[in-house]
Amino acid sequence: MPSWSSSSSFPYVGVKLVTHFPQNSSINLPGVQGSYVLFNSTTGQTLASMDSTELTLYRTSCVSGLGSKYLSRDDSEVLVMVGAGSLAPHLIRAHFSARPSLRKVLIWNRTVEKAEALAKKLRESEDFYLSGLGFEGCGCLDEVVGFGDIVSCATNSETALVKGERLKVGAHLDLVGSFKPSMKECDDEALKRGRVFVDNEAALVEAGELVGAFERGVIKEDEIGANLVELIRGDKVGRSSYEEITVFKSVGSAVVDMLAAQFVYERYTGK
């Protein structure tokens, strides 16, 4: 995943090399791993090499948190976290940063023991010790998804996990996991009930939820509410009412990878 800038104020070229081994969850390893190399775009000099596994966790969760800032209700109190993998703690932190009104996190995973273990770990974490957040592992997603003011999904699922009919009025659905047409984390009803936003245009051709919905005529491309840059600039409006259901689908981009690598490099070197 290469990206580059010709601007003198942003003199970087970056490349991320990524592997995807979804079965790694069974051996307690991340499904997505890789390395990132940052270069000077003026001289070609190698500036830094870093673990892009960790970089991607921060980048991905921060994009979701930023989307939540524009799309979730400002009185959100319950976060339902779908998936208990390596990305889940980062997403919980990002959503809590965007919505400090959160009071409870319900964690679901196909293996309930993994959800309960993560809930216990976060309860004991220094990050949340004085936060007032409660954490609970759950065994049945259908029973708890309706409690979520924010529902965040980070899985490798190829079958819909979140059923749109169960989303509460005013919910914000954050879809992170899918990055190819065969993958999806929610059904068509969730997209029909909600107003859909994306991190960037690549989501329209990469995200299984959207690709399938377009093919079946569930929604049209011109019905997408906005991308993240348009929301930040104020070119388009995000959430329009407290009753509206919002859906944010992210697939990531090489540009945001490079921005994250720039941030790490400049913080480390003090530039």
Side-chain angles (χ1 to χ4, degrees):
M1 294 177 67
S3 186
W4 60 91
S5 168
S6 56
S7 170
S8 59
S9 63
F10 191 69
Y12 298 109
V13 172
V15 181
K16 184 168 78 169
L17 304 176
V18 182
T19 62
H20 178 228
F21 285 75
Q23 70 274 18
N24 277 359
S25 60
S26 64
I27 54 175
N28 203 31
L29 286 174
V32 177
Q33 300 179 84
S35 296
Y36 197 94
V37 184
L38 190 68
F39 303 89
N40 184 294
S41 63
T42 303
T43 65
Q45 176 189 12
T46 303
L47 300 174
S49 178
M50 59 191 79
D51 176 9
S52 73
T53 307
E54 196 71 13
L55 190 74
T56 301
L57 293 175
Y58 279 96
R59 177 267 274 169
T60 303
S61 57
C62 286
V63 167
S64 283
L66 190 55
S68 186
K69 181 178 178 181
Y70 286 92
L71 299 173
S72 66
R73 286 171 48 149
D74 57 14
D75 63 348
S76 297
E77 293 189 350
V78 178
L79 167 65
V80 175
M81 183 67 238
V82 182
S86 55
L87 188 52
H90 292 268
L91 284 166
I92 292 168
R93 290 185 182 96
H95 283 293
F96 184 51
S97 177
R99 292 291 176 241
S101 57
L102 288 172
R103 290 295 173 262
K104 181 182 291 187
V105 180
L106 304 174
I107 304 170
W108 175 88
N109 195 72
R110 291 186 191 277
T111 306
V112 67
E113 291 80 10
K114 192 170 182 180
E116 291 171 344
L118 178 58
K120 181 177 184 294
K121 180 180 178 181
L122 293 176
R123 277 196 298 269
E124 298 171 352
S125 168
E126 290 184 3
D127 290 354
F128 297 110
Y129 183 68
L130 298 174
S131 67
L133 266 182
F135 298 91
E136 182 180 334
C138 305
C140 181
L141 181 58
D142 284 349
E143 290 181 359
V144 300
V145 72
F147 294 116
D149 298 302
I150 301 173
V151 180
S152 185
C153 304
T155 73
N156 289 308
S157 183
E158 296 196 346
T159 58
L161 297 173
V162 175
K163 298 178 177 65
E165 66 179 9
R166 294 186 178 272
L167 291 171
K168 70 185 294 186
V169 171
H172 171 61
L173 177 59
D174 173 43
L175 302 169
V176 176
S178 75
F179 53 86
K180 56 184 180 179
S182 64
M183 303 170 75
K184 62 178 180 178
E185 296 181 300
C186 74
D187 62 9
D188 289 346
E189 184 64 20
L191 302 182
K192 285 198 296 185
R193 289 191 67 200
R195 186 156 159 252
V196 182
F197 300 82
V198 296
D199 62 335
N200 65 80
E201 276 64 32
L204 306 182
V205 295
E206 294 179 5
E209 298 93 346
L210 299 184
V211 172
F214 294 151
E215 291 175 349
R216 291 185 291 274
V218 175
I219 59 172
K220 300 176 182 178
E221 286 192 25
D222 60 11
E223 292 179 303
I224 300 298
N227 63 46
L228 192 52
V229 172
E230 290 171 327
L231 290 175
I232 294 168
R233 286 178 173 170
D235 296 337
K236 294 189 177 179
V237 177
R239 171 174 290 276
S240 60
S241 73
Y242 268 59
E243 292 74 30
E244 182 177 53
I245 292 174
T246 54
V247 180
F248 180 65
K249 176 58 205 162
S250 63
V251 293
S253 72
V255 171
V256 182
D257 284 328
M258 186 168 68
L259 290 170
Q262 172 224 4
F263 180 75
V264 171
Y265 171 71
E266 293 183 357
R267 283 292 296 270
Y268 183 77
T269 59
K271 292 188 175 183

